[in-house]
Amino acid sequence: MGKIKYLVGFFTFFSLALTLNAQDRYAVYFKFKPQSAYSLSKPQEFLTSKALARRLREGIQPDSLDLPVSSKYLEQVAPLAKYVLYTSKWMNAALLVTDKVGAEKMSALPFVAKVELAAKGFLPPPNGRIDSEDKPLKSRKDPKLNTRELGLTANSYDFQNSLIGIDQMHKEGFTGDGVTVAVFDAGFPGVKTASSFAHLFTNNQILGQRDFVRTWNNDVFIDNQHGTNVLSLIAANEPAKLVSGAYDSDFILVITEEVATEYQVEEYNWVRGAEYADSLGVDIINSSLGYWDFDDPAMNYTIADLDGKTAVITKGATIAAEKGILVVNSVGNYGSRGTSSLVAPADAKGILSIGSVKTTGDVSGFSSRGPTGDGRIKPELAAFGDSPVLIRSNGVVGSSNGTSFSAPQIAALAAGLWEARPEWTKDQLILNLLRSATQYDKPDNLLGYGVPNFMDAYYGEILSVEEEENQQWKVYPNPVESDEISILYGTGLRSEIEVIDTNGRILLRSEMVRTDPKSPYRVQLKGINSGIYLIQLSEGALIWKTKLLKR
């Protein structure tokens, strides 16, 4: 995960290309989004029916982030670039290939907000055209993953499935049918030929595929088998080898990871991939990727940067979550670094970042720890990542270590659970997963809320009348006539509150701290006029919203 390349060195031909090619990749951000062809009053013209249906379920209105980048801006920056790779509507930016002079000229344009280096060097398409319809590139040799070799295994997949209740989920008849899952990775070689994936093609379950590393390439079944391994932990269905949790889901396969190098352009690729998946109506994004250090040290993140709002990929994951997409991301394999060893976008709010446990239930040594740079608990959940059974690109059963392989198991669990409870919003799904976990009452920065379980999430915890009365999640008094309210929320000692008016403006954003998790938070509303407001609270991935009437 993360630096999937983990290479001993760069591929020789790629390094030579970077040396000979003076062109670099830049992100050009625009100040505005003037539109001539699209309007928010007609979202069906730029959003698919599935994307609109998800927004309806979540109670979300299309907004300016859904509108495309201005074509007239692109027309003016394109002559200063060698190639336009793609645009990002969420970032209001374009990814371009140009030299330093071209970047400086773009920076001077009045409608350009900023220009940032995204990656050094660029390996051009074979025929020099980005819109090439040539045959797909040939697969390159797979590098080692996380310095650990994939191994053969004599293990049974029963353990990893039963740990989170996949076996019970299947007995209840839920296999992810009707749920769309996107997998972001480095490539999916062997998926077309491995028998464990045959049903995906027989049943037309692959809804889309895109390569945002080589935008001219139209085949994702190439390159690094890490993506194949990850996909197998969601989609495999061959009892003699591996039966994973959500083999009846539909899938979108996206290459965002550039194996040969490690630059921030991969974060932009991820965001563009999320936009693409959103356009196809995706429900869940599984991302066994993460970023912290790069080939250019100037791009490296500090712990303080992992605050849920700084990294480009974290911003993208947060937007995806706000669009009602469940983002499931591996927390990282830097556990040896100790405290706050997570990677972006695992630091994002409103998503699930996933750690790894051993057969004993203890945290795996490699599994990254929290908290985030701003003190939130991470990861949220954990699953078995210490050599789970998976499928290799040659169709053979293997195993490997990493939070890359615990995350897709949680994604599969979530897909089956969402099939079972289609009325749930994304936040309700997260809440019930957290409530089902082994240490929900005492979350920590090793395993978060712990290992979830299908049956507890599906049926909910059975409470006595007295326990139900004591389980209070509320704002009081409500209506309020004073300048102070009390909030009973969550199980931790730190939360964030936002008070939002009916126009969507944030009037108050504050961090709340308490010494006893059973005591309410106290919030001052001085300066906030009478009216109806939305109160939004967040504690890690846990997000709760309610209305408040101030008289």
Side-chain angles (χ1 to χ4, degrees), residues 141-162:
K141 184 178 178 181
D142 291 331
K144 295 179 181 179
L145 305 180
N146 198 19
T147 69
R148 299 179 177 90
E149 294 284 0
L150 285 169
L152 295 175
T153 181
N155 298 335
S156 166
Y157 57 82
D158 290 343
F159 175 77
Q160 65 202 51
N161 279 355
S162 62

Side-chain angles (χ1 to χ4, degrees), residues 266 351 459:
E266 295 169 49
I351 76 163
Y459 288 107

Side-chain angles (χ1 to χ4, degrees), residues 21 23 26 32 49 64 84 95 99 127 216 224 242 266 271 281 361 384 455 465 472 488 495 512 533 546:
N21 192 337
Q23 303 288 327
Y26 291 86
F32 314 107
S49 58
S64 61
V84 177
L95 262 291
D99 54 23
N127 69 345
W216 59 91
N224 188 283
L242 173 63
E266 295 169 49
V271 176
F384 181 56
M455 295 298 280
V465 174
Q472 300 177 42
L488 276 176
S495 294
M512 303 184 297
Y533 301 94
T546 190

Side-chain angles (χ1 to χ4, degrees), residues 256-258 261-270 291:
T256 66
E257 173 77 13
E258 187 170 296
T261 61
E262 192 81 349
Y263 289 112
Q264 284 184 346
V265 68
E266 295 169 49
E267 299 187 60
Y268 292 98
N269 296 344
W270 194 102
Y291 302 93

Side-chain angles (χ1 to χ4, degrees), residues 277-337:
D278 174 34
S279 74
L280 296 181
V282 72
D283 298 298
I284 299 170
I285 292 174
N286 181 87
S287 166
S288 288
L289 304 168
Y291 302 93
W292 173 62
D293 54 346
F294 298 90
D295 293 340
D296 180 357
M299 296 181 177
N300 290 355
Y301 291 122
T302 65
I303 292 175
D305 292 329
L306 300 177
D307 59 358
K309 54 187 177 184
T310 297
V312 170
I313 193 171
T314 297
K315 293 176 182 178
T318 301
I319 293 172
E322 291 171 346
K323 300 293 181 187
I325 299 168
L326 175 64
V327 178
V328 181
N329 206 96
S330 47
V331 74
N333 293 338
Y334 290 99
S336 60
R337 280 178 22 214

Side-chain angles (χ1 to χ4, degrees), residues 227-540:
T228 305
N229 306 149
V230 168
L231 177 64
S232 73
L233 287 160
I234 308 173
N237 184 21
E238 188 171 6
K241 294 180 179 179
L242 173 63
V243 176
S244 294
Y247 56 79
D248 277 333
S249 291
D250 294 320
F251 292 92
I252 301 167
L253 306 181
V254 182
I255 295 178
T256 66
E257 173 77 13
E258 187 170 296
V259 176
T261 61
E262 192 81 349
Y263 289 112
Q264 284 184 346
V265 68
E266 295 169 49
E267 299 187 60
Y268 292 98
N269 296 344
W270 194 102
V271 176
R272 183 63 186 89
E275 295 173 8
Y276 169 65
D278 174 34
S279 74
L280 296 181
V282 72
D283 298 298
I284 299 170
I285 292 174
N286 181 87
S287 166
S288 288
L289 304 168
Y291 302 93
W292 173 62
D293 54 346
F294 298 90
D295 293 340
D296 180 357
M299 296 181 177
N300 290 355
Y301 291 122
T302 65
I303 292 175
D305 292 329
L306 300 177
D307 59 358
K309 54 187 177 184
T310 297
V312 170
I313 193 171
T314 297
K315 293 176 182 178
T318 301
I319 293 172
E322 291 171 346
K323 300 293 181 187
I325 299 168
L326 175 64
V327 178
V328 181
N329 206 96
S330 47
V331 74
N333 293 338
Y334 290 99
S336 60
R337 280 178 22 214
T339 301
S340 298
S341 51
L342 73 165
V343 294
D347 62 315
K349 300 177 182 178
I351 76 163
L352 290 176
S353 55
I354 312 302
S356 169
V357 296
K358 300 183 284 188
T359 55
T360 61
D362 299 320
V363 65
S364 302
F366 56 78
S367 187
S368 289
R369 279 78 162 142
T372 61
D374 58 334
R376 288 173 290 116
I377 288 176
K378 288 284 180 173
E380 279 80 27
L381 295 172
F384 181 56
D386 245 302
S387 298
V389 172
L390 47 76
I391 302 299
R392 305 173 71 174
S393 59
N394 59 4
V396 173
V397 175
S399 65
S400 190
N401 297 336
T403 57
S404 285
F405 309 118
S406 53
Q409 295 177 61
I410 298 298
L413 171 62
L417 192 56
W418 226 341
E419 177 195 0
R421 299 291 192 191
E423 72 278 8
W424 281 353
T425 65
K426 183 266 297 182
D427 290 338
Q428 288 173 324
L429 177 61
I430 287 179
L431 175 59
N432 283 282
L433 282 166
L434 298 184
R435 283 177 170 173
S436 76
T438 52
Q439 51 187 49
Y440 174 67
D441 292 333
K442 295 181 180 179
D444 59 33
N445 283 301
L446 299 177
L447 300 176
Y449 296 85
V451 179
N453 178 273
F454 171 78
M455 295 298 280
D456 289 339
Y458 178 41
Y459 288 107
E461 184 181 4
I462 299 175
L463 302 175
S464 67
V465 174
E466 181 180 354
E467 286 174 323
E468 282 190 346
E469 289 176 352
N470 290 334
Q471 188 168 324
Q472 300 177 42
W473 294 54
K474 64 181 181 180
V475 173
Y476 62 93
N478 189 8
V480 60
E481 297 181 358
S482 66
D483 286 332
E484 182 179 279
I485 55 174
S486 297
I487 301 178
L488 276 176
Y489 173 74
T491 59
L493 300 177
R494 189 185 302 268
S495 294
E496 184 179 82
I497 181 174
E498 291 182 350
V499 178
I500 305 168
D501 70 12
T502 54
N503 293 318
R505 293 176 299 183
I506 299 174
L507 304 183
L508 171 67
R509 177 184 285 143
S510 178
E511 183 178 67
M512 303 184 297
V513 179
R514 61 187 172 189
T515 57
D516 181 356
K518 295 182 180 180
S519 298
Y521 293 107
R522 308 290 184 185
V523 180
Q524 298 298 317
L525 299 177
K526 183 175 282 189
I528 294 181
N529 298 325
S530 299
I532 298 175
Y533 301 94
L534 178 68
I535 304 290
Q536 177 170 299
L537 300 116
S538 59
E539 181 183 296

Side-chain angles (χ1 to χ4, degrees), residues 41-67:
S41 63
K42 297 180 179 179
Q44 67 276 9
E45 294 182 354
F46 52 89
L47 289 173
T48 63
S49 58
K50 286 192 69 176
L52 288 170
R54 175 168 25 81
R55 285 163 172 76
L56 180 63
R57 179 194 70 202
E58 298 286 331
I60 298 169
Q61 294 294 324
D63 57 30
S64 61
L65 292 177
D66 295 312
L67 293 169

